[in-house]
Amino acid sequence: MSANMSVAVGGLTLRGPVLAASGTFGYGTEVPLLERRALGGMVSKGIFLRPREGTAPPRIAETPSGMLNAIGLQGPGVEALVRDYAPKWAEWDFPVFVNINGETAAEYGELASRLDGVPGVSGLEINISCPNVEQGGLYFGNDPRAAAAVTEAVRRRTKLPVWVKLTPMVSDIGVIARAVEAAGADALCAINTFVGMSMDLNAYRPRLSFRTGGLSGPAIRPLAVHLAHQAARAVQIPVIGIGGITRGEDALEFLVAGCAAVQVGTATFGNPRAIAEVHDGIAAFLASKGLASLSDLPRYLPRD
Amino acid sequence: VFLVDAGITAKRKVARDMFVISMDAPEIAASVRAGQFVNLGWTNGPMLRRPFSVYRAYGDRIEIVLKAVGEGTAQLLAMTPGDGVSCLGPLGHGFGISAGPKTAVLISGGLGVASMPLAAREAHSLGMRVSWVHGARSADDLCSESDGDDVTWATDDGSKGFRGTAVAAAPDADLVLACGPNRMLAAVADRWPDALVAVETYMGCGTGVCLGCAVPLKHGGFDRACTEGPVYRAADVDWRALPSQLSYAVTV
């Protein structure tokens, strides 16, 4: 018996609960050994209206059970994304969300309107949590009014499902979660990377040229489970859990903590089969517990 | 691109602290081109894979060269025949050697020797005369294996061959290929703007999605060492903006 793995998340039904996280899957076209059967969906690399060069190298540094990155949202801009990638996505049998970024709420709104109705784009993930840009990014993510203003600006300009990716760098994620829910978000993604730093002891300076970077990988998993759980307690809309998932049991921790689905990111760098293994691990767990459907999984979600 | 569970078949020492490891990876051995690399991961290893140029390929086997420079490479070096690694490759764009040139000079510094035997094989198969130039700090650090119609050694301390850098020791040729520390490649760029050089960067995914291995370009912007690279026309790289001294880099 294989369990029913489909989930309804923020405006659409996914065939499975495991999505590829933004920034770790490119535009989906570069990925080797893509195992589509296991992919509930993917979120594209973050895009701005205009092309961006990104930060100077070194951009990444491996840390205990994790890595720091400061890529700076290098990308070709929305016009190239719509022209070069969306037509390919339109042929695929899983939904593609576009991770959108701006320096002002108006830029987010403009991006939403440019992507609304584009074949191949199934939804938007608002990034108000990138730690590696000088303007925008985190600024919007740790102020409830700014977070709501960006969400509203996007909501007004698109009929697509709107997800909002939250930053962990806040004192109370529930406040931000409620603010973007009230502003019209269909789902929340929790969480983006933590801001971290590591020093090069030969150069007597940070290992990353941007000085700081976003920490991802198993190192952040218990922190992420906690924050995703706090977000899920605070809102009625679904929460998609993100942070250090490498196998089925990791994903199940987020699901039991109240998440509707999960995203897998950094793990795919080391293991190109990570997404399929996470998906299969969840299915095997459900079967071992005699659960016919993912929706039968017991959740630990006392309401605030 | 293939993902192969590769059994380690042999290990041999080629210089002080420098070893060649052979592994079974038939699909990769059959398709790899000079300058391409594999990304290796292993059970209980580091979270990120480690990239290695393919040193030689024959039959079902490929070889890589490594030095223990960190925990990851130390683990790999501790493996013995019978152990296995997960091998992803071949990755990247190699030297793309094609017919035309009559002579080729292959310049390597330290671990940069790793991309040269396949380059020599391809150049030879296209009828080129191959000059092999290899440099290191001192005689004990030189890779003992070479593959050229003529061979030049260079050491910083003069303990073997030319006293000075491999770049200074190298003759001119129709085709110049180089691999070594980025500082050495910058010197190659000064002397031969059209040389093809394999750069060294930190790498995350190795497959083009993480954008971690950014190479700054002379005309602006960055591209990916793992995908558009690791081989570049020397004059196209903005060497001042490319970190010259990675912690695991081997200096010549």
Side-chain angles (χ1 to χ4, degrees):
Chain A
M1 179 204 75
S2 73
N4 177 2
M5 295 277 276
S6 70
V7 286
V9 178
L12 74 175
T13 299
L14 310 175
R15 66 185 173 198
V18 185
L19 297 104
S22 180
T24 63
F25 216 66
Y27 303 93
T29 52
E30 309 91 325
V31 176
L33 319 165
L34 186 66
E35 294 185 76
R36 294 183 180 195
R37 64 168 181 88
L39 205 54
M42 65 160 273
V43 187
S44 81
K45 172 73 182 167
I47 197 87
F48 271 84
L49 277 173
R50 285 167 288 282
R52 280 175 67 94
E53 282 196 357
T55 55
R59 290 178 169 186
I60 58 172
E62 195 169 7
T63 56
S65 298
M67 64 178 282
L68 290 166
N69 87 80
I71 308 301
L73 289 167
Q74 176 179 338
V78 70
E79 194 180 321
L81 178 136
V82 168
R83 183 190 63 223
D84 299 338
Y85 298 114
K88 290 174 183 148
W89 300 339
E91 313 273 302
W92 293 357
D93 58 356
F94 55 87
V96 178
F97 274 65
V98 177
N99 180 285
I100 60 170
N101 297 266
E103 295 185 0
T104 63
E107 282 185 19
Y108 284 92
E110 169 75 17
L111 265 172
S113 123
R114 297 276 290 271
L115 291 165
D116 189 49
V118 171
V121 177
S122 296
L124 305 178
E125 182 183 74
I126 302 177
N127 187 358
I128 50 169
S129 44
C130 179
N132 302 323
V133 291
E134 304 283 357
Q135 309 273 324
L138 257 183
Y139 161 76
F140 294 109
N142 54 29
D143 177 68
R145 271 164 301 195
V150 168
T151 306
E152 248 170 54
V154 171
R155 178 78 284 167
R156 276 204 305 271
R157 306 285 291 272
T158 184
K159 291 184 281 299
L160 290 168
V162 173
W163 299 354
V164 182
K165 190 168 184 177
L166 304 180
T167 174
M169 307 303 288
V170 292
S171 51
D172 184 351
I173 198 169
V175 171
I176 309 288
R178 279 190 292 270
V180 299
E181 178 185 42
D186 296 301
L188 306 178
C189 304
I191 39 89
N192 206 322
T193 54
F194 287 78
V195 177
M197 195 181 205
S198 178
M199 289 295 172
D200 179 336
L201 297 184
N202 291 314
Y204 301 106
R205 51 158 292 131
R207 288 164 73 191
L208 298 180
S209 76
F210 196 70
R211 302 186 306 282
T212 57
L215 182 64
S216 64
I220 69 169
R221 191 191 313 131
L223 302 166
V225 170
H226 175 230
L227 287 160
H229 173 72
Q230 280 191 304
R233 285 175 76 138
V235 296
Q236 300 300 316
I237 54 176
V239 172
I240 296 157
I242 318 170
I245 295 172
T246 65
R247 53 192 189 132
E249 287 84 348
D250 304 342
L252 281 154
E253 286 202 43
F254 283 91
L255 297 170
V256 169
C259 295
V262 295
Q263 294 180 11
V264 175
T266 302
T268 59
F269 298 166
N271 177 11
R273 298 211 165 101
I275 285 173
E277 289 177 11
V278 171
H279 175 94
D280 294 349
I282 296 169
F285 178 87
L286 295 177
S288 76
K289 297 291 187 187
L291 300 168
S293 162
L294 180 55
S295 56
D296 297 332
L297 180 74
R299 316 281 171 147
Y300 176 77
L301 195 63
R303 288 293 168 180
D304 284 346
Chain B
V1 177
F2 304 96
L3 184 63
V4 181
D5 286 322
I8 289 175
T9 56
K11 179 165 75 176
R12 66 179 184 273
K13 190 172 182 178
V14 291
R16 175 161 57 195
D17 301 328
M18 192 161 130
F19 296 84
V20 171
I21 290 179
S22 314
M23 62 193 78
D24 270 323
E27 299 91 339
I28 297 172
S31 55
V32 66
R33 299 286 315 269
Q36 288 188 300
F37 66 98
V38 291
N39 219 3
L40 301 185
W42 53 93
T43 307
N44 298 322
M47 188 187 72
L48 297 176
R49 287 172 179 260
R50 295 290 185 266
F52 294 93
S53 295
V54 176
Y55 179 68
R56 294 182 195 275
Y58 52 92
D60 287 347
R61 296 200 176 147
I62 61 166
E63 293 181 346
I64 59 159
V65 188
L66 80 154
K67 265 186 163 179
V69 290
E71 234 171 273
T73 41
Q75 287 173 9
L76 196 51
L77 210 46
M79 290 186 190
T80 52
D83 289 338
V85 294
S86 169
C87 183
L88 181 69
L91 297 168
H93 278 95
F95 290 109
I97 302 169
S98 54
K102 298 273 186 290
T103 58
V105 60
L106 278 42
I107 308 167
S108 62
L111 276 175
V113 72
S115 53
M116 291 310 170
L118 284 183
R121 183 172 85 178
E122 291 181 16
H124 274 137
S125 75
L126 293 166
M128 296 176 212
R129 180 183 166 79
V130 173
S131 297
W132 180 280
V133 185
H134 176 61
R137 276 201 198 100
S138 115
D140 291 344
D141 302 310
L142 288 168
C143 177
S144 59
E145 301 179 355
S146 62
D147 194 357
D149 299 302
D150 58 83
V151 177
T152 303
W153 307 102
T155 50
D156 292 348
D157 63 5
S159 52
K160 182 169 178 179
F162 181 85
R163 183 191 192 99
T165 68
V167 176
D172 287 318
D174 299 338
L175 177 66
V176 179
L177 309 179
C179 183
N182 292 332
R183 204 178 39 166
M184 169 191 141
L185 301 183
V188 169
D190 285 341
R191 185 167 160 194
W192 300 283
D194 289 323
L196 298 176
V197 301
V199 303
E200 181 176 56
T201 68
Y202 289 112
M203 209 169 264
C205 66
T207 59
V209 298
C210 81
L211 311 181
C213 58
V215 176
L217 301 175
K218 220 28 175 296
H219 61 71
F222 301 96
D223 68 15
R224 302 163 292 186
C226 72
T227 304
E228 289 82 18
V231 174
Y232 291 86
R233 181 176 167 268
D236 291 345
V237 174
D238 181 357
W239 296 102
R240 279 170 312 175
L242 186 67
S244 61
Q245 191 67 63
L246 304 186
S247 60
Y248 55 75
V250 177
T251 52
V252 282

